[in-house]
Amino acid sequence: VTYKWLSYTLGVHVNQAKQMLYDYVERKRKENSGAQLHVTYLVAGNLLQNGHTCHKVAVVREDKLEAMKSKLSTIASVHVYSIQKALLKDSSPLYNTDYDIVKTNLQHCSKFSAILCAAAVRRTPPDAPRAPASAQSPQRQRDPDAAGAVNGHGPPAAKPPPQQHKGIMGMFAAKAAAKPQDTHKEAKAEAKEAPGVSAASSKPPTKNNIMSNFFGKAAMNKLKVSSVPEQPKEEKEVVKPSVAAAEPESSPNTVAEKPGKKPESARIQQKDKKSKTKRADRSDDEEERDPENVKKKRKRIKQLQSDSSDEEDVPPSPTPEEEKTPSPPPVPALKTELEPASTEGSAGGRKRKRKRVLKSKMFIDEEEGCMGKTG
Amino acid sequence: MFSEQAAPTAQGLLAPPSAEPPTFPRVPVSGYSDCSQPFQLGERSFSRQYAHIYAVRLAGMRPGLEQRARSRWGSDVALRKLSELQAGEKCCVVGTLFKAMQLQPSILQEISEEHNLVPQPPLPKYIQPSDELILEDELQRIKLEGAIDVQRLVTGTILAVYGAEQDDGRFLAEDHCFADLPPPLPWNGPSSDRFVLLASGLGLGSVSGEALLSTQLLVDLVTGQLGAEGEQSFAAHIARVILAGNLLSQNTQSRDTINKAKYLTKKTQAASVEAVKMLDEILLQLCTSVPVDVMPGEFDPTNYTLPQQPLHRCMLPLASAYATLRLVTNPYQANLDGVRFLGTSGQNISDIFKYSSMDDYLEILEWTLLAGHISPTAPDTLGCYPFYKSDPFILTECPHVYFCGNAPHFQSKLLQGKEGQRVLLVTVPDFSATQTACLVNLRDLTCQPITFSSFGADSED
């Protein structure tokens, strides 16, 4: 039992853990219960070595404690490091205990420490889903203005995480296990690819769209039919943020799109908003993919439209998509979504229906693709 | 430093649990700016020859050297180029040194089939009494002899030599001088105690795990978990941690997998993968509490040539989530609270060590500062990127703290220059061997080593 292990297990400050250990040792020894406890201490102090004073920090066994204390010219600190029943031959069990407990608590390893660093804030939101704890903990003593001086990531990163956390926590509560985890992994994986892009794009304003977009994607499973009309709306929403992020030229298209689809949008939006929070994490994932796929999607869409093919995957379509993409099936799906948005402008119901068919097929494929990939 | 002020509360934790123990906020880092842009390579093209570096180096250092020569040997001393030399005339020549060494490992000798020689095994030092010095400038070269210490100097140094050309075509040198300390930087140091911890050679991934507890103790000390209250409050004054290279140990360099057949090595993972995971965890613990700068070293997964580029953050997924982690280049320069730090992971110093008679790392460190160049042996015996526009290793401003990592033991010295420069020279020892790290106090430029130890199967020290 080391003080660190105790501190993490009981959730107390490290100094309190050390004092607890000391107290325990004293009490047990007074009771004379017969069980032999072996204690190791941590001694730190100044030592004269090679002509200059050197600060030495050592873990020593109890029997060597006095010897070490006498060697040091000034003692800076002494405290109990660990207690065990058996005599330790070497320090590896101590290290292993600490290593294991720290590994299980990696995200909050400084929670019980005596020093709190205001500058240690997490960076971009894509990493947030894993462990929102540390950066947001109430321990923050100072505003990360100091952190802002350290690097520019602090302040902008601080803003999106709170909102996303709430959304993500709600989503956690609501959603079933498999999907979030899959998308987490994807989000993580893509977080690396597209932090630049997503960070560059205006995250807070586009978040709503992303979430609604996700709603569209995930809803396929549940409401195949009702999701279909939502799809175009979603995809448009997808287009909006990703376009905002990636390509300025498509925005006029989406804007043109919007008035055409307003009546439907009103209906759909409510649904969107409801499940917005649920889809937050998938939206992260989508959002990461979107910026990259938008460009390719648009080209592909054009092709699709012209071919007016009902093929699920679009192998014949030109290459850019094929090269990249975390998941080619979603690309065609989103492609078809984007079709009307990007090129045709206010296509109207006719195209919508066609897309509907296409979309549903696409979605199924996409679904399978998704499931096959991540499942 | 730590100890004196911490002593009163030293025994404080040998007591029953008290009320809510205090937590100390970490000193905020004001004024950090990274000055290592010259060492960051953008687009790299290796299609150029290395001769350009020497040309640029000479051109860059010539004015300064000429000024020094004038101040040393009189302002009327004749400064000649090699092509203008006349026999018997006392003059001063500025040029690049080349040391012709017999034992220097040469790739041409290795692959020469006529000789059928076995490649030379690596030696600790390649110097020999028969080494010769040759001075080169832009157009010509001339052999040097005289009052000049052949053993001590290394190839690539730019210096000014005062002497005369002999009849047999050699240059008899009477005196020589280097660029000396560069102009000083204004001092804006902090008024209160602020520390920077320098550590290098963590050596993760090595077969032996003895240093692991010491590494853990180091992390605990810095993050404030170790020590009594006084010590913890002092650890809160550590404003930054700089890890100067060799985070992975030499054992992770499994070169033989390249030679083995693919089917044999398919299932094996490079040793560096595990080591990097361990590094990530350690860095995560550090990053949650203190800003960390990570410099790559000789055995770290980055490019081999100097300047080594920063480690890629995808290798450290857990730790790079924190804004406090900074991955920096190998010669690293930064302004911390008004104090200019400049340092390397030690490859330049150890290379000079191999080709010079100087034995002391601190002495070599001081010598590079006086010679005005971080790594004079750079293209010759140490890998380097073929610069052609400017040589970023030339010292143009005098840093306040000049360090090198992975030295055999800890040494430090405060150097005072003629123009008021104050430089703290620190050789940061290899942590995996010595379990020692250094703590630099920014207020008064002093340095203290911190040693960690645990008890082993044999008697502890």
Side-chain angles (χ1 to χ4, degrees):
Chain A
V1 173
T2 61
Y3 74 92
K4 216 199 274 190
W5 185 90
L6 196 68
S7 153
Y8 279 115
T9 320
L10 296 181
V12 296
H13 193 273
V14 283
N15 287 352
Q16 273 188 326
K18 294 170 198 162
Q19 286 166 333
M20 283 181 196
L21 286 178
Y22 178 75
D23 200 34
Y24 181 80
V25 170
E26 289 295 303
R27 264 190 282 133
K28 277 284 180 203
R29 293 232 170 114
K30 279 195 192 114
E31 285 170 20
N32 254 340
S33 52
Q36 260 293 21
L37 291 175
H38 291 101
V39 190
T40 57
Y41 289 88
L42 181 101
V43 183
N46 266 359
L47 179 67
L48 211 61
Q49 200 174 45
N50 298 341
H52 47 235
T53 53
C54 148
H55 190 80
K56 194 165 172 68
V57 178
V59 176
V60 297
R61 278 193 285 250
E62 195 167 9
D63 39 0
K64 304 267 173 28
L65 176 63
E66 293 307 314
M68 181 58 84
K69 270 163 75 165
S70 55
K71 255 206 277 181
L72 300 173
S73 54
T74 32
I75 299 178
S77 53
V78 178
H79 65 78
V80 178
Y81 191 83
S82 76
I83 306 180
Q84 46 278 334
K85 281 240 175 79
L87 185 63
L88 287 181
K89 292 237 178 48
D90 69 48
S91 45
S92 45
L94 294 179
Y95 175 71
N96 291 336
T97 322
D98 277 346
Y99 182 73
D100 291 333
I101 194 75
V102 170
K103 233 180 135 108
T104 53
N105 283 333
L106 265 182
Q107 301 308 325
H108 344 277
C109 33
S110 277
K111 220 154 84 162
F112 303 114
S113 158
I115 299 177
L116 301 160
C117 181
V121 290
R122 299 201 81 121
R123 273 197 233 243
T124 53
D127 292 332
R130 277 170 27 224
S134 323
Q136 307 303 320
S137 67
Q139 293 165 356
R140 224 192 257 171
Q141 302 216 352
R142 251 167 269 189
D143 202 71
D145 280 342
V150 175
N151 62 16
H153 284 112
K159 278 186 298 186
Q163 305 161 22
Q164 279 235 323
H165 286 319
K166 289 179 208 137
I168 289 159
M169 290 315 256
M171 173 189 51
F172 258 118
K175 251 191 142 197
K179 279 276 169 73
Q181 278 157 15
D182 296 341
T183 48
H184 276 184
K185 283 185 212 135
E186 285 177 343
K188 265 183 254 171
E190 278 145 1
K192 295 295 173 269
E193 309 172 13
V197 183
S198 28
S201 67
S202 44
K203 277 211 103 152
T206 62
K207 218 163 21 108
N208 300 336
N209 304 328
I210 295 160
M211 293 192 199
S212 45
N213 159 52
F214 266 112
F215 171 57
K217 281 208 65 146
M220 300 177 306
N221 320 338
K222 305 178 182 172
L223 335 141
K224 291 267 165 68
V225 180
S226 52
S227 70
V228 168
E230 277 150 330
Q231 244 97 58
K233 206 268 174 193
E234 259 93 57
E235 299 325 314
K236 255 200 318 175
E237 309 268 5
V238 174
V239 176
K240 261 189 294 179
S242 36
V243 166
E247 294 179 9
E249 51 174 322
S250 46
S251 31
N253 293 336
T254 53
V255 170
E257 278 297 307
K258 262 204 287 192
K261 308 227 169 112
K262 253 187 198 158
E264 294 147 8
S265 6
R267 172 171 55 95
I268 298 166
Q269 265 214 320
Q270 284 151 13
K271 278 203 191 145
D272 283 356
K273 284 190 182 129
K274 248 190 276 176
S275 45
K276 221 193 292 187
T277 52
K278 293 192 185 169
R279 313 303 166 194
D281 71 331
R282 288 205 78 197
S283 73
D284 264 0
D285 175 12
E286 268 296 8
E287 211 242 359
E288 308 309 334
R289 281 195 246 142
D290 276 345
E292 296 146 337
N293 298 341
V294 166
K295 299 173 206 162
K296 301 169 238 153
K297 270 181 245 160
R298 293 175 73 229
K299 285 189 195 147
R300 263 188 164 184
I301 290 161
K302 277 191 183 145
Q303 297 268 332
L304 249 191
Q305 276 262 294
S306 52
D307 298 345
S308 67
S309 59
D310 277 349
E311 287 153 18
E312 358 283 6
D313 283 37
V314 210
S317 66
T319 56
E321 289 83 35
E322 253 88 46
E323 293 150 23
K324 272 218 263 187
T325 74
S327 41
V331 173
L334 292 163
K335 258 180 353 186
T336 49
E337 261 63 70
L338 287 170
E339 262 182 39
S342 57
T343 54
E344 307 324 287
S346 46
R350 179 180 55 87
K351 284 233 171 70
R352 184 74 48 78
K353 289 208 173 81
R354 221 175 67 200
K355 267 185 312 186
R356 229 178 254 178
V357 173
L358 275 171
K359 264 185 289 185
S360 55
K361 277 200 188 155
M362 287 299 208
F363 285 145
I364 293 170
D365 284 338
E366 185 188 351
E367 224 18 73
E368 289 166 4
C370 272
M371 295 316 280
K373 257 197 162 42
T374 58
Chain B
M1 269 191 248
F2 260 176
S3 320
E4 290 80 21
Q5 280 120 325
T9 56
Q11 313 265 357
L13 290 176
L14 289 175
S18 58
E20 192 60 41
T23 57
F24 309 97
R26 173 118 15 224
V27 217
V29 174
S30 52
Y32 168 76
S33 70
D34 187 10
C35 306
S36 52
Q37 278 78 26
F39 302 122
Q40 278 164 357
L41 300 171
E43 277 273 319
R44 280 172 254 188
S45 133
F46 285 90
S47 56
R48 264 177 247 110
Q49 296 227 348
Y50 281 100
H52 300 286
I53 302 189
Y54 286 116
V56 168
R57 201 184 284 179
L58 185 58
M61 294 183 68
R62 185 184 274 278
L65 268 173
E66 288 182 351
Q67 205 182 11
R68 289 261 177 245
R70 282 192 210 282
S71 62
R72 192 166 162 143
W73 300 309
S75 48
D76 56 345
V77 69
L79 285 167
R80 296 251 183 273
K81 297 234 163 111
L82 282 179
S83 47
E84 302 160 357
L85 278 183
Q86 287 148 14
E89 184 200 2
K90 281 220 188 296
C91 58
C92 160
V93 187
V94 173
T96 317
L97 264 186
F98 178 77
K99 191 156 133 179
M101 290 186 285
Q102 202 176 18
L103 287 181
Q104 183 175 353
S106 160
I107 188 74
L108 298 172
Q109 281 174 2
E110 279 181 30
I111 62 177
S112 157
E113 268 145 29
E114 301 147 18
H115 293 250
N116 252 348
L117 283 176
V118 176
Q120 192 186 353
L123 295 172
K125 275 202 185 288
Y126 293 102
I127 55 178
Q128 260 210 326
S130 62
D131 295 338
E132 290 179 335
L133 277 182
I134 298 168
L135 188 72
E136 292 184 3
D137 73 354
E138 293 94 348
L139 300 170
Q140 285 190 352
R141 48 162 38 195
I142 194 165
K143 223 156 172 203
L144 272 186
E145 52 184 26
I148 203 163
D149 188 354
V150 181
Q151 299 300 317
R152 207 160 174 260
L153 298 169
V154 287
T155 307
T157 325
I158 313 271
L159 78 169
V161 187
Y162 182 69
E165 188 189 354
Q166 305 291 94
D167 292 328
D168 59 355
R170 299 181 196 212
F171 194 89
L172 187 66
E174 290 169 18
D175 198 9
H176 66 280
C177 83
F178 300 107
D180 214 0
L181 289 177
L185 278 175
W187 170 256
N188 285 332
S191 46
S192 61
D193 268 346
R194 274 243 178 127
F195 300 99
V196 171
L197 187 80
L198 292 171
S200 82
L202 289 181
L204 297 170
S206 64
V207 177
S208 73
E210 289 137 18
L212 286 177
L213 183 63
S214 311
T215 317
Q216 191 62 47
L217 287 177
L218 172 68
V219 173
D220 286 344
L221 183 71
V222 174
T223 55
Q225 293 173 2
L226 213 60
E229 285 175 17
E231 184 139 3
Q232 285 169 342
S233 76
F234 267 85
H237 287 274
I238 296 182
R240 209 165 189 93
V241 174
I242 300 182
L243 294 175
N246 277 356
L247 307 153
L248 305 188
S249 95
Q250 198 170 7
N251 300 335
T252 60
Q253 310 271 298
S254 45
R255 292 283 159 87
D256 47 347
T257 48
I258 302 175
N259 301 333
K260 279 199 204 146
K262 200 76 177 192
Y263 70 95
L264 286 171
T265 59
K266 208 166 176 184
K267 292 286 179 163
T268 59
Q269 216 182 32
S272 49
V273 175
E274 273 302 315
V276 173
K277 279 197 208 151
M278 231 190 306
L279 176 69
D280 197 20
E281 280 157 19
I282 291 184
L283 280 180
L284 177 67
Q285 291 175 51
L286 274 179
C287 284
T288 50
S289 172
V290 70
V292 184
D293 292 337
V294 182
M295 289 167 60
E298 196 180 341
F299 305 125
D300 292 329
T302 179
N303 54 318
Y304 164 73
T305 55
L306 282 193
Q308 281 183 305
Q309 298 305 293
L311 297 171
H312 201 281
R313 35 172 286 213
C314 67
M315 286 196 285
L316 307 167
L318 299 168
S320 33
Y322 281 87
T324 42
L325 179 77
R326 277 197 67 90
L327 299 163
V328 293
T329 55
N330 183 355
Y332 172 53
Q333 193 170 201
N335 265 336
L336 271 144
D337 273 338
V339 178
R340 172 73 72 99
F341 272 73
L342 173 63
T344 65
S345 300
Q347 289 118 314
N348 53 333
I349 309 293
S350 53
D351 200 56
I352 298 177
F353 174 80
K354 276 191 265 182
Y355 295 100
S356 151
S357 61
M358 293 190 273
D359 273 332
D360 192 19
Y361 269 59
L362 192 69
E363 189 189 341
I364 300 179
L365 197 64
E366 187 179 346
W367 182 82
T368 56
L369 196 59
L370 292 172
H373 200 270
I374 299 177
S375 138
T377 56
D380 189 37
T381 44
L382 188 61
C384 176
Y385 174 73
F387 292 104
Y388 70 106
K389 283 214 190 105
S390 64
D391 187 352
F393 298 120
I394 300 178
L395 288 165
T396 47
E397 292 159 325
C398 194
H400 296 120
V401 180
Y402 185 44
F403 64 90
C404 93
N406 298 302
H409 30 257
F410 165 78
Q411 282 166 309
S412 87
K413 180 172 162 184
L414 190 62
L415 192 67
Q416 303 275 1
K418 278 183 290 229
E419 294 168 18
Q421 300 106 330
R422 265 172 79 218
V423 192
L424 175 69
L425 301 169
V426 185
T427 57
V428 185
D430 188 21
F431 193 82
S432 54
T434 60
Q435 278 97 50
T436 311
C438 330
L439 203 64
V440 177
N441 187 343
L442 296 181
R443 184 176 54 87
D444 52 3
L445 280 190
T446 53
C447 184
Q448 191 183 46
I450 307 186
T451 321
F452 299 89
S453 70
S454 51
F455 50 92
D458 38 277
S459 71
E460 75 218 11
D461 105 65

